[in-house]
Amino acid sequence: MTTTGPDIVELDRIAVHESLRIVGLVRETDWERDTPCAGWTLRRLVAHMAAQHHGFAAAARGAGHEEAYWREPDDMSDPMRTYQGAATTVLAAFAEPGVGEREFVLPELGSGFPGRMAVGFHFIDYVVHAWDVAATLGVGLDLPGHVLEAGLAVARRVPTDPAGRGAGFAFAPALDGPGGAEPLEEALRLLGRDPEKWPLPN
């Protein structure tokens, strides 16, 4: 599972910045809303997103094996501030020279991965999580077409083996959908999200 082309770090940067924009729209009364991530409130989802940023940043710098970096923040009293700090950390780590050639240790996936592939994992995660937050709030998602096409290319490479999908795993089982779907909708269904249940405004 990987993505092609030389710009995976730039694609990831675009997705993370869009997630920052969307999280910035959350009002104080929104944090306990349910999300497309079954059983998670918006506060819990953003805590997970922050933890993943810190974990991937650590992995980019050779410390991905240290579990502390992957733990959700204890203090989520100011979720936006916590999320901004985490996003800044991962963007800085990925911007370092040679990041695509490093090995990332990703404990949740069980082994080490080439840097370009690992950044691809992070990229698709934040295309999907940006959508998760947008769907929770009922607001539009603003990602360019080439970013969504790249996200679909990565999503198509995510293994669909039921033994690695569902509760306790990164993605729910893939969902069937109509042929000719838009790239975002197809990617979401491949990764177990239901865009019809959580429609975004046009």
Side-chain angles (χ1 to χ4, degrees):
M1 179 168 39
T2 185
T3 190
T4 58
D7 298 323
I8 187 60
V9 171
E10 174 62 12
L11 291 168
D12 182 79
R13 187 192 66 80
I14 292 169
V16 172
H17 274 285
E18 177 62 2
S19 76
L20 280 164
R21 184 186 73 83
I22 296 292
V23 174
L25 300 176
V26 180
R27 300 165 300 183
E28 190 58 38
T29 53
D30 293 328
W31 289 113
E32 305 313 315
R33 285 192 184 197
D34 291 333
T35 72
C37 301
W40 282 10
T41 64
L42 188 53
R43 191 185 304 272
R44 173 69 194 282
L45 171 60
V46 172
H48 165 78
M49 292 164 66
Q52 290 291 302
H53 283 328
H54 283 299
F56 271 86
R61 292 168 171 159
H65 60 284
E66 297 184 26
E67 293 183 6
Y69 288 110
W70 298 93
R71 293 185 190 130
E72 293 179 9
D74 291 328
D75 183 1
M76 285 297 291
S77 59
D78 188 346
M80 183 59 197
R81 182 177 178 182
T82 298
Y83 187 66
Q84 284 178 323
T88 298
T89 297
V90 79
L91 291 172
F94 284 5
E96 293 174 2
V99 72
E101 285 68 55
R102 300 176 191 172
E103 182 181 62
F104 284 45
V105 174
L106 305 175
E108 292 181 353
L109 299 179
S111 64
F113 296 89
R116 182 178 297 278
M117 183 181 290
V119 176
F121 296 156
H122 188 266
F123 162 60
I124 188 58
D125 216 18
Y126 284 84
V127 170
V128 173
H129 283 326
W131 176 85
D132 286 331
V133 180
T136 300
L137 299 176
V139 301
L141 189 65
D142 185 14
L143 287 171
H146 75 282
V147 174
L148 298 177
E149 290 283 358
L152 175 57
V154 177
R156 284 173 171 164
R157 293 176 173 88
V158 176
T160 58
D161 182 353
R165 294 290 190 103
F169 293 98
F171 299 112
L175 302 176
D176 292 330
E182 293 295 319
L184 177 61
E185 291 187 1
E186 183 177 344
L188 291 169
R189 288 191 177 95
L190 284 170
L191 301 176
R193 302 299 202 272
D194 187 350
E196 293 183 357
K197 182 178 178 181
W198 297 85
L200 301 185
N202 296 323

